[in-house]
Amino acid sequence: MAFSLAKSTFLSNSTLYFPKNCIRSFGFFLPFSTFVAVDRFNGNKKRQSVVVSALEIGGVNISKDEIVRDDPTNNIPDTIFAKLGMQLHRRNQHPLGILKNAIYDYFDTNYPDKIDKFDDLCPIVSVKQNFDEVLVPADHVSRSYNDTYYVDSQTVLRCHTSAHQAELLRNGHTHFLVTGDVYRRDSIDSTHYPVFHQMEGVRVFAPNEWEGSGTDATSHAAEDLKKCLEGLARHLFGGVEMRWVDTYFPFTNPSFELEIYFQDQWMEVLGCGVTEQEILKRSGRTDNVAWAFGLGLERLAMVLFDIPDIRLFWSTDERFTSQFSSGRLGLKFKPFSKYPPCYKDMSFWISDSFTENNLCEVVRGIAGDLAEEVKLIDNFTNKKGMTSHCYRIAYRSMERSLTDKEINDLQWKVREQVENKLKVVLR
């Protein structure tokens, strides 16, 4: 649950190929199960194989104009469209793929022939899938255009792999892992990026699995969940000290976070809990109980591989990609960039509609991954009630030195776009 590169090869700048389980119908993107039905009745339809980001995957052609639109209900920029279909988690020699496969190994050993694995489900989902079916409240902040990428008012880029949970349950899956790229509008710093990767795990219990155990269904599931995830933490990090922290998620009750003591500090590893009965009820499983967990692959990979900046996961520089090998978890990254950052400050009077996420979208849209950090360094409100913010933007390439002209050109474009798009008054 949402408890918390090789160069892309397209046929043109406006064409993208998605996995076979993401298709179009009259302009709306159908969920993955619908494709199975269509495929079944069109057995003579050839699977189309194309190379996307060095992967050969079945797919259908979806134009850029259908994802990035000049429409008030659409807030997906070109930079996000360019990441669709990259699927870093499916690359066995990439840190995220290495980590995913290590987790697979653990579950294959402990649950032999039981786990269904999904890592190519379509990232374009309905609002119902992304929010309603996992009981995210109607007024939850995550539903806002400030936090989520909307294709239109009823279609989003998934914020979490939990968007597929209800449908998998309805389709009869009882033990499964879902891995995929997820999308959230976010701040700019070394640990946040608008595209990252999650893994979700679910296990469903039948009544005969807890009857006679001496405990109720919820307690049985919670005990099994903790035993499973403590084993996973030892599998990844070795014999570390662990602790459980009670927390809240709208889709589980009770809910927990697992922390480990690693490198002289407590670190959150994942969130989890016993699945809310309403989710199971809606999926036709009124007599069952289940647990679910969710973890961020980048968060764990940064620690396991000593990767200091989340932007590096997208690097095509051989000095990065050549350092990792399939099956070798925990190889320590050796930094190759000593280039200093360049700082530029920008002050402006904000409007009522201003948000920092919107500012970061503008900066990313112009500077891309050259933007290392956007940080609020000063703010004040004058006697007229006007509020001023001063942000410091750090520009740095992970691969080369930037020239003064490059930085100045970027900063002027940022200033222009911030004033025009965010309706602020520069100072």
Side-chain angles (χ1 to χ4, degrees):
M1 296 214 142
F3 307 96
S4 65
L5 270 167
K7 188 175 182 180
S8 177
T9 305
F10 298 122
L11 297 184
S12 74
N13 290 333
S14 60
T15 302
L16 178 66
Y17 289 89
F18 284 108
K20 65 176 181 177
N21 43 36
C22 177
I23 70 172
R24 289 180 297 144
S25 179
F26 304 105
F28 185 76
F29 300 94
L30 302 180
F32 65 91
S33 63
T34 309
F35 183 88
V36 176
V38 172
D39 197 39
R40 188 183 304 125
F41 290 108
N42 293 276
N44 60 347
K45 184 177 181 180
K46 287 187 176 181
R47 175 175 174 177
Q48 182 180 11
S49 294
V50 293
V51 177
V52 180
S53 304
L55 291 174
E56 290 187 5
I57 57 178
V60 292
N61 190 341
I62 298 177
S63 72
K64 176 179 175 181
D65 291 342
E66 293 179 285
I67 307 298
V68 182
R69 306 175 185 169
D70 184 14
D71 185 299
T73 65
N74 181 286
N75 63 349
I76 301 175
D78 291 347
T79 51
I80 295 301
F81 174 81
K83 295 293 192 291
L84 286 167
M86 301 289 260
Q87 298 189 313
L88 301 183
H89 61 285
R90 302 189 73 198
R91 305 179 186 187
N92 292 334
Q93 293 187 325
H94 190 282
L96 300 183
I98 295 168
L99 175 57
K100 180 199 74 172
N101 291 332
I103 298 173
Y104 279 3
D105 289 343
Y106 171 79
F107 279 94
D108 286 342
T109 299
N110 289 275
Y111 301 88
D113 302 319
K114 284 188 175 182
I115 303 296
D116 297 322
K117 306 181 187 74
F118 303 89
D119 69 355
D120 64 345
L121 301 182
C122 181
I124 303 170
V125 299
S126 67
V127 168
K128 180 180 179 181
Q129 288 174 294
N130 199 70
F131 297 120
D132 300 339
E133 291 188 331
V134 287
L135 309 183
V136 176
D139 60 350
H140 197 275
V141 64
S142 64
R143 290 179 179 254
S144 74
Y145 279 72
N146 187 58
D147 285 60
T148 294
Y149 289 109
Y150 279 81
V151 177
D152 57 46
S153 62
Q154 297 302 314
T155 314
V156 300
L157 302 185
R158 63 184 172 210
C159 301
H160 48 189
T161 47
S162 305
H164 306 286
Q165 182 187 119
E167 191 158 13
L168 288 170
L169 289 170
R170 288 195 296 269
N171 288 348
H173 300 283
T174 59
H175 298 65
F176 57 86
L177 297 171
V178 180
T179 313
D181 43 329
V182 297
Y183 300 80
R184 298 182 191 173
R185 302 175 91 240
D186 213 336
S187 54
I188 297 177
D189 59 38
S190 63
T191 61
H192 292 88
Y193 202 78
V195 189
F196 56 104
H197 299 75
Q198 284 188 339
M199 179 182 288
E200 162 151 321
V202 172
R203 181 184 181 185
V204 179
F205 297 84
N208 65 342
E209 294 184 84
W210 71 79
E211 291 173 351
S213 67
T215 61
D216 62 88
T218 298
S219 299
H220 180 81
E223 181 179 349
D224 184 86
L225 169 68
K226 290 183 176 181
K227 180 180 178 181
C228 171
L229 297 180
E230 287 174 1
L232 175 60
R234 284 190 290 270
H235 178 71
L236 296 177
F237 293 95
V240 293
E241 184 180 354
M242 294 176 244
R243 68 184 183 188
W244 290 96
V245 179
D246 293 336
T247 188
Y248 164 79
F249 303 113
F251 21 70
T252 54
N253 184 28
S255 301
F256 315 101
E257 289 177 346
L258 174 60
E259 296 182 349
I260 64 170
Y261 195 72
F262 190 73
Q263 296 178 345
D264 298 324
Q265 62 182 343
W266 286 102
M267 182 185 79
E268 177 192 339
V269 174
L270 51 80
C272 61
V274 178
T275 306
E276 282 282 3
Q277 283 303 118
E278 182 62 23
I279 294 176
L280 295 174
K281 179 181 177 181
R282 293 181 185 182
S283 302
R285 297 184 171 277
T286 55
D287 297 329
N288 299 106
V289 67
W291 55 243
F293 74 86
L295 56 84
L297 292 181
E298 279 89 347
R299 178 182 179 86
L300 300 188
M302 289 180 77
V303 174
L304 288 166
F305 294 95
D306 279 353
I307 295 174
D309 194 302
I310 197 169
R311 293 175 297 164
L312 279 165
F313 289 110
W314 300 91
S315 177
T316 60
D317 193 310
E318 289 187 0
R319 291 173 294 176
F320 176 78
T321 59
S322 64
Q323 292 193 36
F324 307 100
S325 300
S326 177
R328 301 191 65 183
L329 182 70
L331 282 175
K332 301 307 181 184
F333 169 68
K334 298 176 181 178
F336 56 83
S337 172
K338 302 295 183 181
Y339 305 113
C342 178
Y343 298 101
K344 294 289 184 179
D345 294 351
M346 178 172 55
S347 299
F348 47 81
W349 300 106
I350 67 171
S351 62
D352 292 339
S353 62
F354 173 82
T355 70
E356 189 168 303
N357 278 357
N358 285 340
L359 172 64
C360 290
E361 283 293 298
V362 170
V363 175
R364 276 199 182 100
I366 294 169
D369 287 352
L370 295 181
E372 180 176 72
E373 184 178 42
V374 174
K375 184 178 181 179
L376 179 67
I377 61 172
D378 186 42
N379 70 92
F380 70 92
T381 301
N382 66 14
K383 294 180 180 179
K384 296 181 180 180
M386 298 173 62
T387 299
S388 172
H389 283 184
C390 181
Y391 284 90
R392 177 161 293 163
I393 304 175
Y395 297 98
R396 175 171 17 199
S397 169
M398 307 299 292
E399 301 166 358
R400 62 184 179 85
S401 291
L402 299 176
T403 66
D404 289 340
K405 184 180 186 306
E406 281 182 283
I407 298 300
N408 290 334
D409 287 348
L410 288 173
Q411 184 68 3
W412 279 112
K413 290 176 182 177
V414 166
R415 288 173 61 87
E416 180 182 24
Q417 290 296 310
V418 165
E419 187 171 38
N420 293 337
K421 290 187 174 182
L422 304 186
K423 308 304 180 186
V424 301
V425 180
L426 295 175
R427 300 182 57 222

